[in-house]
Amino acid sequence: MRTLKYAILGLINRNSMTGYDLMKVFNLELVNFWYAKHSQIYPELKKLTDDGLITYETVLLGDKLEKKLYSITQEGRKDFLNWLAKQDQLEPTPKDIFRLKTFFIESMTREEMLKQFYYQLDQRKAKLKKLETSMSQHPYSKEISDIASPEYGDYIVLKGAIMREHTYIDWLKGCIKEIESFTKPHF
Ligand code: FER
């Protein structure tokens, strides 16, 4: 499934925008949880246009610069809403290098284990702090309380991320505590 297709349709469904606007939203908002390469976005816009799911008008920006302003077509909106309504099966657990290393922990010394876990813990704490800062400034928690707003979607995604990081941190701390309390002679 071309998920990027739906990310783009979803954004254009909110507002008509140029490729540049779209890129900005990707870089500022979606990038938090949905990374896309710049090089993928323009070809996808072309495909969506060719398929009649979006259309564009050429607008003049300033004196000379022509830009394509994309809007969603009726067919595009139908496709997007169908995709939204579809129920998704769980995907396999995303790959995580640290988890794989953890699996092979028996080949590390106790010192290496702790070093690795403390480093992950530092990074996770920093990430959580960033997320919590975003939450404290989030427009939904401040002034909007309408679940039918784009801000609500971002807010609940962010809330989920904060909960996930708390759980991850608890797991790291639990492992550290266990490793530190373990005193087998060969350590
Ligand atoms: C945000 C929404 C989601 C945000 C971060 C996320 C920094 C992170 C999501 C994740 O890590 O799963 O507004 O702001």
Side-chain angles (χ1 to χ4, degrees):
M1 204 220 314
R2 279 153 59 200
T3 312
L4 179 64
K5 162 183 167 177
Y6 292 104
I8 293 176
L9 279 181
L11 292 176
I12 297 180
N13 183 49
R14 282 184 177 165
N15 294 300
S16 298
M17 51 177 92
T18 65
Y20 175 76
D21 297 331
L22 195 65
M23 206 79 99
K24 257 193 338 201
V25 183
F26 260 95
N27 286 341
L28 291 174
E29 296 183 43
L30 284 187
V31 71
N32 290 317
F33 59 94
W34 200 268
Y35 174 78
K37 287 200 202 101
H38 289 187
S39 59
Q40 296 172 322
I41 294 178
Y42 281 97
E44 192 59 50
L45 279 171
K46 171 148 183 9
K47 257 191 247 163
L48 292 172
T49 309
D50 292 346
D51 293 346
L53 301 178
I54 57 175
T55 180
Y56 65 83
E57 56 174 320
T58 308
V59 293
L60 210 56
L61 266 189
D63 274 350
K64 284 205 188 85
L65 199 60
E66 287 195 339
K67 286 271 182 186
K68 289 175 180 166
L69 182 67
Y70 293 94
S71 6
I72 199 159
T73 62
Q74 239 181 24
E75 200 188 332
R77 185 170 295 122
K78 210 170 110 194
D79 190 347
F80 173 64
L81 295 178
N82 272 340
W83 172 76
L84 275 186
K86 202 172 74 54
Q87 292 189 308
D88 304 298
Q89 289 196 337
L90 218 54
E91 289 180 20
T93 303
K95 286 182 189 168
D96 174 340
I97 297 174
F98 183 67
R99 190 168 296 150
L100 183 61
K101 289 191 175 178
T102 303
F103 182 74
F104 293 118
I105 198 166
E106 84 282 3
S107 298
M108 291 183 209
T109 64
R110 185 171 182 270
E111 199 185 22
E112 278 166 349
M113 287 178 196
L114 289 171
K115 201 171 146 195
Q116 288 286 13
F117 274 87
Y118 273 115
Y119 185 53
Q120 293 294 317
L121 183 61
D122 281 350
Q123 292 181 93
R124 291 281 169 182
K125 280 182 175 168
K127 186 166 183 170
L128 177 61
K129 207 168 153 196
K130 222 179 101 191
L131 295 169
E132 283 177 333
T133 304
S134 286
M135 184 56 106
S136 70
Q137 298 162 352
H138 200 283
Y140 187 83
S141 51
K142 282 176 140 179
E143 64 231 29
I144 305 165
S145 53
D146 178 6
I147 65 163
S149 66
E151 287 79 10
Y152 182 62
D154 191 66
Y155 169 76
I156 54 176
V157 170
L158 180 55
K159 204 163 158 175
I162 290 174
M163 292 168 81
R164 182 195 65 223
E165 293 308 322
H166 273 299
T167 305
Y168 210 110
I169 287 171
D170 286 350
W171 173 68
L172 290 168
K173 284 183 175 168
C175 293
I176 289 171
K177 206 168 155 197
E178 214 161 73
I179 296 165
E180 283 181 336
S181 69
F182 205 70
T183 49
K184 224 173 146 184
H186 83 266
F187 271 139

